[in-house]
Amino acid sequence: MNAPKSVQADIATRARELVAVMHRAADAAARFIAERSLSRDTLVWRSKAHQDYVSDVDTGAERIVRETLLAGAPEARILGEELSPDAALDADTLFVVDPLDGTTNFLHGYPQYAVSIALVMGGITSAAVVRNVVSAETFSAVLGEGATRNGAHIAVSRIDDPQHALVGTGIPFRTPEQLPLYLRQLDAVARDTAGVRRAGSAALDLCDVACGRFEAFWELTLSPWDFAAAALIVREAGGAISTIDGAPLPLARSSVLAGTPTMHAWLGALLARIAGAES
Ligand code: IPD
Ligand code: CA
Ligand code: CA
C-alpha cells in the first residue's frame, strides 16, 4: 500500500466498520438461498450462455446483499455478477459481490456454494467475507489483520512437497477452447500430486487454500466476483495468489493461481512449462 500512513489508518478503520455490514449482508443472503434450496425442484433455470444457468435465487440474493450493503455504506458502488457486472471500478468504496458462487452446485443440490463479498477501497482490497451457505462456515479477512474461519485465525498448509499436496481446480466449461491446454495441465498436476479436486465454487476453493485443506489451486478464467474476496483471505492466511503468469490479480476476468508460497511457485513453474511446450 503506497498511501500515506494517516490515509492507511483511515482505510483500516473504515474497513473494520464495513466488514460488519458485509457479514450482515452475507448472512441475510445465505438465509434466503438456504430457504429457497428447500423448493429447488420448482426453480426455473435461465441460460446466460452455453452450459451456464442462473435462477431467481442468484438475482434475489444479490438484491438482498445490495440493500444491506448500501444501507450501511450509502456512498459505495457495487460490482455485482447479476445486477451490475459493468459497474465502474473507480469508486473510493467498491463492493465486489458474487451472490451465489457455485450456482450449478446449488441447482443440483450439491452442497458447495457460497456468498462472496469483497471491499475495495481506493483500489485496494481491504476486507472480505465468504460464507458457505450449506456448512455455515464463514471466512473473513481485513487487510493486515489476518484471516479467520468462524472467527478463529487460519493459516495455509505447511505441506510443501507436491507429492503430498491436494490441489483444487476449475474446469473451463465456459471457454471450451481452453480445454486442450487445461487437460494437459490436469494431466501433469495429477501425475505429480496426491490429488486434484473440482468442487465447483472458486471462492470456496480459495478459502480451502487459505485454511490448509488445499495446498494450491488454479483455474484458467475467472471473474473478479469469483476471486476478489477469497484472494484477500488467501493472502492474509499467508498464501500467495496471482494470475497463472505470476502477475498481480486485476479486477477483471483473469486466470488465478494460489497456494502456499512454495506450492504457488511450484505449480506456476509446472503450468508455465506446459504452456511453453504448446507454443
Ligand atoms: C463459478 C464457480 C466455478 C468456476 C466458474 C465460476 P458461478 O461461479 O466459481 O467453480 O469454475 O468459473 O464462474 O457461476 O457459480 O457464480
Ligand atoms: Ca462465481
Ligand atoms: Ca454467481
Side-chain angles (χ1 to χ4, degrees):
M1 196 189 292
N2 295 324
K5 281 221 155 35
S6 58
V7 177
Q8 287 181 31
D10 288 349
I11 289 181
T13 307
R14 187 68 178 137
R16 256 177 255 124
E17 287 165 7
L18 290 183
V19 80
V21 179
M22 293 157 67
H23 276 282
R24 279 205 296 282
D27 286 353
R31 275 197 303 277
F32 169 78
I33 295 166
E35 197 211 297
R36 296 301 304 272
S37 73
L38 303 175
S39 50
R40 200 168 44 79
D41 292 347
T42 63
L43 288 175
V44 176
W45 300 15
R46 287 193 312 278
S47 177
K48 286 212 285 193
H50 178 63
Q51 293 174 342
D52 187 6
Y53 301 100
V54 68
S55 80
D56 289 345
V57 177
D58 301 65
T59 41
E62 189 162 322
R63 244 174 238 117
I64 290 169
V65 171
R66 277 188 77 89
E67 278 164 20
T68 314
L69 293 177
L70 292 175
E75 76 281 16
R77 220 178 277 155
I78 294 177
L79 174 71
E81 179 179 10
E82 309 302 339
L83 301 178
S84 50
D86 300 317
L89 305 179
D90 57 354
D92 287 342
T93 304
L94 178 74
F95 291 108
V96 183
V97 175
D98 192 334
L100 178 48
D101 186 54
T103 292
T104 305
N105 287 348
F106 170 78
L107 290 171
H108 289 266
Y110 185 82
Q112 176 83 344
Y113 42 91
V115 182
S116 173
I117 306 172
L119 168 66
V120 180
M121 296 182 78
I124 297 160
T125 308
S126 311
V129 173
V130 176
R131 160 92 185 209
N132 183 323
V133 175
V134 182
S135 72
E137 275 186 321
T138 303
F139 296 88
S140 185
V142 173
L143 184 66
E145 298 188 356
T148 59
R149 177 180 55 210
N150 295 344
H153 274 278
I154 51 171
V156 293
S157 168
R158 282 190 279 188
I159 293 174
D160 58 9
D161 170 5
Q163 302 221 337
H164 288 88
L166 186 60
V167 179
T169 187
I171 298 168
F173 64 96
R174 288 198 185 94
T175 49
E177 66 280 7
Q178 290 184 311
L179 271 169
L181 167 64
Y182 176 75
L183 291 174
R184 290 174 66 85
Q185 295 176 336
L186 182 61
D187 181 310
V189 177
R191 284 173 199 279
D192 281 358
T193 60
V196 180
R197 298 287 181 270
R198 196 296 192 247
S201 160
L204 291 176
D205 291 335
L206 289 168
C207 289
D208 282 341
V209 172
C211 72
R213 293 173 181 149
F214 288 162
E215 277 66 44
F217 168 85
W218 92 102
E219 186 156 347
L220 285 173
T221 308
L222 286 170
S223 294
W225 40 79
D226 299 317
F227 60 76
L232 179 65
I233 295 169
V234 167
R235 277 198 297 271
E236 288 293 325
I241 185 160
S242 65
T243 69
I244 284 181
D245 299 333
L249 284 177
L251 208 48
R253 268 161 74 85
S254 170
S255 62
V256 174
L257 169 67
T260 70
T262 307
M263 286 297 302
H264 174 270
W266 174 83
L267 186 54
L270 180 71
L271 299 179
R273 273 204 304 282
I274 291 158
E278 295 226 325
S279 56

